[in-house]
Amino acid sequence: MKYLVKPFEDVGKNTARMIVIFWIGALLLIWFLTSMGERHLFPSPQQVLTGFVELYNEGLVVHIASSLWLCVIAIFVAIIISLILTYLSTIPVIKPIAIAVSKLRYLPLTGITFYLAILISNARTMQIWVLVTFMSTYLTTSLLSMVNAIGEQEFDHARSLKCNRWEVLWEVVVKGRIDHVIEVIRQNLAIVWMMLVTVESILVAAGGLGFLIKNSDKFMNHGRIIALQIVILTLGLSIDFILSFIRKTFFRYSKI
């Protein structure tokens, strides 16, 4: 057993599964112990189960669909903006704009929503653009790092094949890094998912998982809050798995 606590130790698949099962069991045990008694840290499993039932009866599926649709639109717009800025950043006159956008990730949410409220009157549109702003800044930062990490030999190889500069951009940066783009999107998608609850509170009437959490918190229903956290985490991990599966399926020989 000593090898399990040594750094950089290689373990087999069965051993890795046993480790995961051990930690899941430990987490469930901690949850059970901390939910016992009159005063407890977490709601009991029974309260969480009851929360799931109540949420389902109140239209949980509809709220999930609303949140997913909001994220799909925001992610699509953010990807388009970030890819255009990143690819055009190879042009000297455009590069400062791309870098400036990446630096906007230090802006607080309050400042962004204040200026967006001045420009946009529709609350649903404002939700989308808050998410777009956040994801675009982080996505552009990661994509710029991806472009900067391309070895000079790859550009030289394209030039040796008589490619002009636009062809070099297309073959090396665009086509040659599609698998990396999917990986970058997968990693940065968590930012949008994490901001979901906060952004959906801008327009409560539109519903969504954020509305359900705010409503549950208002009435101090901790069982429902934990149930919603489980739903959000499960959906986020499912999206992450799908993107990872797509990358590994269509780009089997790519490396991170």
Side-chain angles (χ1 to χ4, degrees):
M1 297 294 291
K2 291 183 178 179
Y3 70 95
L4 293 178
V5 294
K6 291 182 179 179
F8 309 111
E9 185 69 33
D10 291 326
V11 296
K13 291 184 178 180
N14 291 333
T15 304
R17 291 192 188 100
M18 292 301 296
I19 293 173
V20 172
I21 292 172
F22 166 78
W23 283 115
I24 292 176
L27 180 62
L28 292 175
L29 179 61
I30 293 172
W31 182 14
F32 178 77
L33 293 175
T34 54
S35 63
M36 295 175 62
E38 295 183 1
R39 300 183 63 182
H40 46 262
L41 182 61
F42 295 108
S44 66
Q46 180 61 38
Q47 289 176 307
V48 175
L49 182 61
T50 302
F52 274 117
V53 175
E54 292 176 353
L55 289 168
Y56 181 79
N57 293 332
E58 293 178 16
L60 176 62
V61 176
V62 176
H63 289 287
I64 290 175
S66 175
S67 295
L68 287 175
W69 182 241
L70 173 63
C71 285
V72 167
I73 297 175
I75 290 165
F76 178 78
V77 176
I79 289 172
I80 297 299
I81 293 174
S82 300
L83 287 178
I84 291 175
L85 283 174
T86 300
Y87 293 149
L88 293 182
S89 68
T90 55
I91 303 174
V93 72
I94 304 296
K95 188 173 183 178
I97 299 177
I99 294 175
V101 169
S102 71
K103 302 302 181 184
L104 293 178
R105 65 187 186 275
Y106 295 105
L107 284 177
L109 176 63
T110 304
I112 293 176
T113 53
F114 173 76
Y115 288 105
L116 286 176
I118 297 175
L119 299 173
I120 303 171
S121 58
N122 184 276
R124 188 64 170 181
T125 305
M126 183 176 174
Q127 286 180 330
I128 293 172
W129 280 102
V130 169
L131 290 176
V132 167
T133 302
F134 264 88
M135 188 173 184
S136 296
T137 56
Y138 287 95
L139 194 56
T140 301
T141 302
S142 299
L143 290 172
L144 287 174
S145 298
M146 177 198 74
V147 174
N148 293 331
I150 299 176
E152 190 63 32
Q153 65 275 11
E154 294 190 49
F155 294 107
D156 292 337
H157 178 67
R159 295 188 190 102
S160 69
L161 296 176
K162 306 300 182 181
C163 293
N164 60 41
R165 300 199 177 197
W166 289 104
E167 289 172 334
V168 170
L169 173 63
W170 173 253
E171 295 294 336
V172 178
V173 180
V174 180
K175 287 177 59 178
R177 288 297 183 276
I178 295 178
D179 58 316
H180 291 265
V181 169
I182 295 175
E183 180 65 19
V184 167
I185 293 171
R186 184 181 71 85
Q187 293 176 2
N188 286 270
L189 187 61
I191 297 169
V192 172
W193 205 242
M194 179 185 66
M195 292 296 302
L196 188 66
V197 174
T198 304
V199 171
E200 284 186 329
S201 64
I202 296 174
L203 178 60
V204 178
L209 295 172
F211 160 74
L212 291 178
I213 285 188
K214 297 285 287 185
N215 193 43
S216 300
D217 182 59
K218 180 180 178 181
F219 295 101
M220 299 294 290
N221 193 327
H222 295 163
R224 287 173 52 131
I225 293 174
I226 296 297
L228 283 166
Q229 295 283 8
I230 293 174
V231 170
I232 292 173
L233 179 61
T234 302
L235 287 172
L237 292 176
S238 299
I239 296 172
D240 184 86
F241 173 79
I242 291 171
L243 288 175
S244 180
F245 177 79
I246 291 173
R247 182 177 187 270
K248 292 178 181 178
T249 301
F250 293 97
F251 305 96
R252 293 189 296 169
Y253 305 105
S254 64
K255 296 181 180 179
I256 298 176

